């Protein structure tokens, strides 16, 4: 699992005057902008975007960016410039519309407060708050794009990993026809329900195998496999190594 490394370049809350503008240039950092009031005109890689109150713009590193305040409109924004490795996945759409700012203002206000302190503990708090903001934004962005029935199916599968789920059961849970249920899931995710369930099981198994106090047999059971043989076979198909070899690669003592 790749660890996220994040470093701030700059952060500001700004009441922008009528002459506010961002000059056209390629940025080597991420720029995340919350519009708290008014609107601004951005151009990102030659795509024109009007960003208004309750909207968030994520500009990836390496983008060609410029911006200015819309004539006659107020503009208050909170902007974050940051470096991140590995690279963050893009939002499904660069411009994200929030239902309101009420959920976000406490986080943004607290970040702004600690950012002005500039001591080590305040910077630690800023990192924690910003990661919380990023996580929540990605959840909102992905939820807006995902079909509600597919999201219901995923949640049902995730909460029943230890059980064999039939398509009629899954369809009843979502209020859909069984044939349409499977076809919809395949269309939206690119995999069948069984493939998605198996993917989750192997991911869970990888996490469990990193824990030295959990045996391989218990890992198989907790990941929803009926026997050690089928677990070992499926794990090797997906990961290219046996559970024992994976555990050794992670530097965890082998236990059965």
């Amino acid at each position: 699992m790749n660890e996220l490394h994040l470093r701030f370049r700059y952060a500001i809350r700004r009441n922008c005057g009528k002459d506010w503008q961002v000059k056209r240039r390629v940025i080597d950092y991420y720029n995340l902008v919350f519009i708290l009031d008014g609107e601004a005109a951005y151009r990102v890689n030659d795509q024109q975007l009007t960003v208004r109150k309750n909207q968030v713009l994520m500009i990836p590193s390496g983008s060609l960016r410029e911006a200015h305040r819309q004539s006659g409109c107020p503009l208050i924004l909170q902007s974050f410039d940051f470096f991140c490795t590995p690279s963050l996945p893009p939002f499904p759409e660069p411009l994200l519309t929030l239902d309101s700012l009420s959920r976000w203002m406490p986080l943004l206000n607290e970040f702004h407060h600690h950012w002005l302190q500039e001591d080590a503990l305040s910077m630690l708090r800023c990192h924690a708050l910003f990661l919380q903001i990023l996580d929540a934004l990605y959840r909102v962005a992905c939820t807006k794009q995902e079909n509600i029935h597919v999201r219901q199916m995923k949640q049902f599968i995730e909460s029943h990993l230890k059980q064999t789920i039939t398509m009629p059961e899954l369809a009843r849970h979502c209020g859909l026809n069984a044939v349409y249920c499977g076809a919809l899931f395949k269309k939206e995710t690119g995999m069948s329900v069984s493939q998605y369930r198996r993917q989750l099981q192997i991911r869970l198994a990888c996490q469990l195998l990193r824990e030295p106090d959990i045996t391989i047999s218990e890992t198989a059971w907790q990941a929803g496999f009926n026997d050690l043989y089928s677990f070992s076979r499926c794990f090797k198909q997906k990961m290219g190594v046996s559970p024992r070899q994976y555990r050794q690669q992670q530097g965890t003592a082998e236990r059965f």
Side-chain angles (χ1 to χ4, degrees), residues 4-35:
L4 192 69
H5 295 277
L6 185 145
R7 178 170 60 88
F8 291 110
R9 175 184 177 272
Y10 191 59
I12 190 171
R13 177 176 295 181
R14 183 169 179 174
N15 192 332
C16 303
K18 64 180 181 179
D19 297 325
W20 175 84
Q21 63 177 319
V22 175
K23 293 183 178 180
R24 180 181 174 89
R25 73 181 188 89
V26 176
I27 58 174
D28 63 351
Y29 49 84
Y30 290 87
N31 181 209
L32 178 67
V33 184
F34 282 79
I35 302 298

Side-chain angles (χ1 to χ4, degrees), residues 101-158:
L101 289 171
S102 58
R103 169 185 175 185
W104 306 90
M105 289 309 300
L107 293 170
L108 296 175
N109 288 338
E110 189 174 357
F111 181 97
H112 182 64
H113 166 74
H114 286 287
W115 182 259
L116 296 177
Q117 308 308 308
E118 295 187 337
D119 61 88
L121 289 179
S122 289
M123 289 302 100
L124 177 64
R125 184 61 179 159
C126 283
H127 275 80
L129 287 165
F130 188 67
L131 288 172
Q132 187 176 350
I133 290 168
L134 271 183
D135 175 66
L137 284 174
Y138 273 102
R139 289 177 184 273
V140 170
C142 293
T143 297
K144 284 181 177 292
Q145 292 293 314
E146 190 172 46
N147 181 283
I148 186 172
H149 294 299
V150 173
R151 186 161 69 250
Q152 289 175 334
M153 284 187 267
K154 285 183 175 181
Q155 292 170 346
F156 188 79
I157 295 166
E158 289 162 10

Side-chain angles (χ1 to χ4, degrees), residues 25-57:
R25 73 181 188 89
V26 176
I27 58 174
D28 63 351
Y29 49 84
Y30 290 87
N31 181 209
L32 178 67
V33 184
F34 282 79
I35 302 298
L36 306 183
D37 195 20
E39 62 182 59
Y42 274 79
R43 181 176 286 274
V44 181
N45 297 327
D46 293 324
Q47 180 183 6
Q48 189 71 40
L49 298 165
T50 299
V51 193
R52 299 181 174 87
K53 181 180 179 180
N54 292 351
Q55 291 186 317
V56 181
L57 178 63

Side-chain angles (χ1 to χ4, degrees), residues 4-247:
L4 192 69
H5 295 277
L6 185 145
R7 178 170 60 88
F8 291 110
R9 175 184 177 272
Y10 191 59
I12 190 171
R13 177 176 295 181
R14 183 169 179 174
N15 192 332
C16 303
K18 64 180 181 179
D19 297 325
W20 175 84
Q21 63 177 319
V22 175
K23 293 183 178 180
R24 180 181 174 89
R25 73 181 188 89
V26 176
I27 58 174
D28 63 351
Y29 49 84
Y30 290 87
N31 181 209
L32 178 67
V33 184
F34 282 79
I35 302 298
L36 306 183
D37 195 20
E39 62 182 59
Y42 274 79
R43 181 176 286 274
V44 181
N45 297 327
D46 293 324
Q47 180 183 6
Q48 189 71 40
L49 298 165
T50 299
V51 193
R52 299 181 174 87
K53 181 180 179 180
N54 292 351
Q55 291 186 317
V56 181
L57 178 63
M58 171 72 94
I59 305 177
S61 176
S63 298
L64 178 62
R65 177 198 65 174
E66 62 179 312
H68 63 268
R69 176 179 150 175
Q70 294 280 46
S71 177
C73 293
L75 178 60
I76 302 175
L77 57 79
Q78 185 144 349
S79 180
F80 305 89
D81 295 348
F82 62 99
F83 303 95
C84 187
T85 53
S87 299
L88 290 171
F91 285 170
E93 298 291 338
L95 194 58
L96 177 62
T97 300
L98 307 174
D99 294 333
S100 75
L101 289 171
S102 58
R103 169 185 175 185
W104 306 90
M105 289 309 300
L107 293 170
L108 296 175
N109 288 338
E110 189 174 357
F111 181 97
H112 182 64
H113 166 74
H114 286 287
W115 182 259
L116 296 177
Q117 308 308 308
E118 295 187 337
D119 61 88
L121 289 179
S122 289
M123 289 302 100
L124 177 64
R125 184 61 179 159
C126 283
H127 275 80
L129 287 165
F130 188 67
L131 288 172
Q132 187 176 350
I133 290 168
L134 271 183
D135 175 66
L137 284 174
Y138 273 102
R139 289 177 184 273
V140 170
C142 293
T143 297
K144 284 181 177 292
Q145 292 293 314
E146 190 172 46
N147 181 283
I148 186 172
H149 294 299
V150 173
R151 186 161 69 250
Q152 289 175 334
M153 284 187 267
K154 285 183 175 181
Q155 292 170 346
F156 188 79
I157 295 166
E158 289 162 10
S159 61
H160 294 79
L161 275 185
K162 291 183 182 179
Q163 303 168 21
T164 301
I165 305 170
T166 66
M167 191 58 69
E169 287 174 331
L170 189 59
R172 280 196 300 272
H173 175 74
C174 301
L176 299 174
N177 171 273
V179 175
Y180 175 73
C181 183
L184 175 65
F185 194 90
K186 177 82 172 183
K187 176 184 175 183
E188 295 291 322
T189 67
M191 65 183 80
S192 68
V193 168
S194 61
Q195 288 172 328
Y196 179 74
R197 177 173 178 266
R198 186 68 78 210
Q199 181 184 81
L200 292 181
Q201 289 177 305
I202 296 301
R203 285 180 183 172
L204 175 58
C206 287
Q207 294 174 5
L208 294 170
L209 287 170
R210 296 188 190 108
E211 297 295 329
D213 295 330
I214 300 178
T215 66
I216 292 179
S217 297
E218 186 178 353
T219 295
W221 177 77
Q222 288 198 28
F225 290 87
N226 294 325
D227 60 82
L228 189 58
Y229 173 76
S230 61
F231 167 61
S232 298
R233 177 173 51 81
C234 290
F235 190 93
K236 189 167 185 177
Q237 285 177 346
K238 293 288 184 182
M239 301 302 297
V241 294
S242 68
R244 180 193 303 178
Q245 291 169 325
Y246 181 85
R247 168 161 273 181

